[in-house]
Amino acid sequence: MKLSLIIIVCLAIIFSIVQGIKSMNVNGKHNSAIKPPGEYLQIIGTRYVNLKDDSEGDEIIFYLYSIADHKIIETHNLGQVALYPAAAMDDKNQKIYYSGSNNKLFDNLFVYDIKSGKSEQITNDKMLFNDLLFVKEKLLGTIAPQGKTVLQPAIIDPVHHDIRYYNQSDDDTWFHSFSYSPMTNKLLCLTCSDKEMRSPKVREETFIRPKKILLMNPDFSEANVIYETDAFEIRQTRQIDKDHILMITNDSMISSGNRRIQILTISSGKLAPFYVEGLLESQSIHPGYDEEHLYILGRNSHNQFSLYDYNIKTKKLDDLLAGYSFPEGHKTIVDFTLFVYETQ
């Protein structure tokens, strides 16, 4: 009887070890196929190709941060980028789509297979990507293809590699700050006119691009302007609840002052400062879906650049990356997005 019990225990231990090995990817992190449901931060960073300076270009590093575990659980080296690094994880199919380059001149869309660690180029055009995100298993982005001046929303078919643009004939409207809110099932967009941006008034007098904030359905229907201004420069917008939008602003395009956060009440159109204690300047923000946490990429009052978690109720600011050792040649964190993994 004792021998049988010992055998059972040994088998259980062996099974546990084997499962643990299977759950590791090449970087020694847990494979995302078995990660528990919950909220995660997709962090887009860069490092020097030669690990010391920009002379040979930059490459994208994708970090997956588990909010529940309070740590980075995956790291993926995606490849070289020419213009702007953007990436989004397809958790269901174990892939990461990203803007990459094979010539150091312009970007294309690539897909990285997490299981094999290999990348494939899936577009062949001179492109610029500013945002990539998955909404209900559809890949969306803001893209400027060859021959176009501006970025505009697009839905990307990851199987057939087709791209459907919001308005393919429009080469004047810039779309920035693309995000999705599951609370409203709406996309939030920030726009400005390329022609107006180059006008003498903006270039010589105000140095402020007149901006509009739009809400639209994920299929790009029913796009409605909910706010517009030329009184200050808007850098980014994020929906914090059904009636409020946070925006990162500064006085003008050439302003030397720190960027600040303001909150817009949609129903009234009123604007007010949104203070984050301990924060000096914000570069990018994402509200948590619990309406209690605000994730911020920026500098704290000690001028430390990092990714922070601000608890709106307790007014506590925590450095999420404190003590983390970045890979050799790390350059910077460029941006991040909030990502919800659900059970399949």
Side-chain angles (χ1 to χ4, degrees):
M1 187 69 177
K2 288 184 178 178
L3 181 60
S4 299
L5 182 60
I6 291 171
I7 292 172
I8 292 171
V9 172
C10 289
L11 288 173
I13 293 172
I14 292 170
F15 178 79
S16 177
I17 292 171
V18 170
Q19 290 300 107
I21 292 171
K22 287 182 178 179
S23 72
M24 306 294 280
N25 65 16
V26 293
N27 297 305
K29 305 294 183 182
H30 286 11
N31 188 299
S32 60
I34 63 165
K35 65 179 179 288
E39 294 183 16
Y40 295 80
L41 301 177
Q42 297 179 120
I43 305 170
I44 313 302
T46 57
R47 74 171 181 177
Y48 304 115
V49 171
N50 64 9
L51 307 182
K52 60 181 181 179
D53 57 39
D54 279 317
S55 61
E56 296 180 34
D58 299 333
E59 57 187 1
I60 305 177
I61 307 294
F62 181 97
Y63 306 92
L64 187 66
Y65 184 96
S66 167
I67 292 174
D69 295 331
H70 307 291
K71 64 180 180 180
I72 289 174
I73 60 169
E74 289 185 35
T75 305
H76 301 285
N77 183 351
L78 301 182
Q80 196 155 353
V81 63
L83 300 174
Y84 185 80
M89 175 181 280
D90 176 0
D91 56 285
K92 182 178 180 180
N93 296 301
Q94 287 290 276
K95 298 180 186 297
I96 301 173
Y97 291 83
Y98 68 97
S99 56
S101 178
N102 59 10
N103 58 16
K104 301 181 183 179
L105 299 175
F106 53 84
D107 291 327
N108 269 289
L109 188 65
F110 286 73
V111 58
Y112 172 84
D113 187 284
I114 293 174
K115 294 178 181 178
S116 69
K118 296 181 179 180
S119 289
E120 176 190 0
Q121 183 175 336
I122 60 176
T123 63
N124 292 281
D125 202 350
K126 293 181 179 179
M127 290 179 152
L128 170 64
F129 301 82
N130 246 39
D131 302 281
L132 287 172
L133 64 157
F134 273 91
V135 176
K136 297 183 177 179
E137 299 185 7
K138 289 185 178 180
L139 180 59
L140 278 62
T142 47
I143 307 172
Q146 184 174 10
K148 295 291 183 179
T149 303
V150 303
L151 292 148
Q152 72 164 278
I155 298 174
I156 305 158
D157 184 335
V159 177
H160 302 99
H161 306 164
D162 296 326
I163 299 177
R164 178 169 69 86
Y165 293 93
Y166 171 67
N167 183 354
Q168 193 156 359
S169 63
D170 184 356
D171 197 24
D172 179 65
T173 307
W174 282 92
F175 281 79
H176 308 274
S177 184
F178 208 41
S179 63
Y180 170 76
S181 171
M183 291 180 296
T184 60
N185 189 30
K186 297 286 186 180
L187 296 168
L188 184 64
C189 313
L190 182 63
T191 71
C192 66
S193 162
D194 187 71
K195 182 179 179 181
E196 201 167 29
M197 182 174 68
R198 301 174 191 275
S199 68
K201 180 181 178 180
V202 173
R203 289 188 293 108
E204 300 169 13
E205 299 176 25
T206 66
F207 305 103
I208 297 171
R209 297 169 292 184
K211 294 285 181 66
K212 296 178 181 179
I213 300 176
L214 280 75
L215 281 174
M216 68 168 74
N217 292 331
D219 63 357
F220 298 161
S221 63
E222 297 183 24
N224 297 308
V225 175
I226 59 169
Y227 184 79
E228 53 187 306
T229 185
D230 61 358
F232 50 85
E233 187 70 22
I234 306 175
R235 302 292 183 174
Q236 189 183 75
T237 54
R238 294 288 185 259
Q239 190 142 10
I240 192 168
D241 60 39
K242 291 183 178 180
D243 195 36
H244 294 92
I245 287 173
L246 294 178
M247 58 177 73
I248 297 178
T249 69
N250 54 358
D251 294 334
S252 72
M253 291 186 292
I254 61 172
S255 174
S256 58
N258 293 331
R259 297 180 181 184
R260 59 189 181 274
I261 303 175
Q262 298 191 67
I263 186 167
L264 168 69
T265 302
I266 300 173
S267 57
S268 67
K270 291 183 178 179
L271 206 59
F274 186 90
Y275 296 107
V276 175
E277 295 186 19
L279 187 73
L280 182 64
E281 182 175 35
S282 56
Q283 177 176 309
S284 185
I285 53 177
H286 272 279
Y289 296 138
D290 60 2
E291 300 183 21
E292 182 176 342
H293 292 268
L294 178 64
Y295 302 101
I296 306 167
L297 181 64
R299 295 182 292 134
N300 67 6
S301 56
H302 301 290
N303 208 29
Q304 178 69 39
F305 182 76
S306 190
L307 184 59
Y308 296 94
D309 172 10
Y310 179 67
N311 189 303
I312 298 171
K313 292 183 178 179
T314 66
K315 304 190 182 306
K316 184 181 179 184
L317 187 70
D318 291 318
D319 186 346
L320 297 179
L321 303 178
Y324 179 75
S325 297
F326 286 98
E328 183 182 5
H330 169 75
K331 182 180 179 180
T332 190
I333 297 173
V334 178
D335 206 353
F336 74 103
T337 56
L338 185 62
F339 163 78
V340 177
Y341 176 79
E342 299 176 350
T343 54
Q344 303 299 328

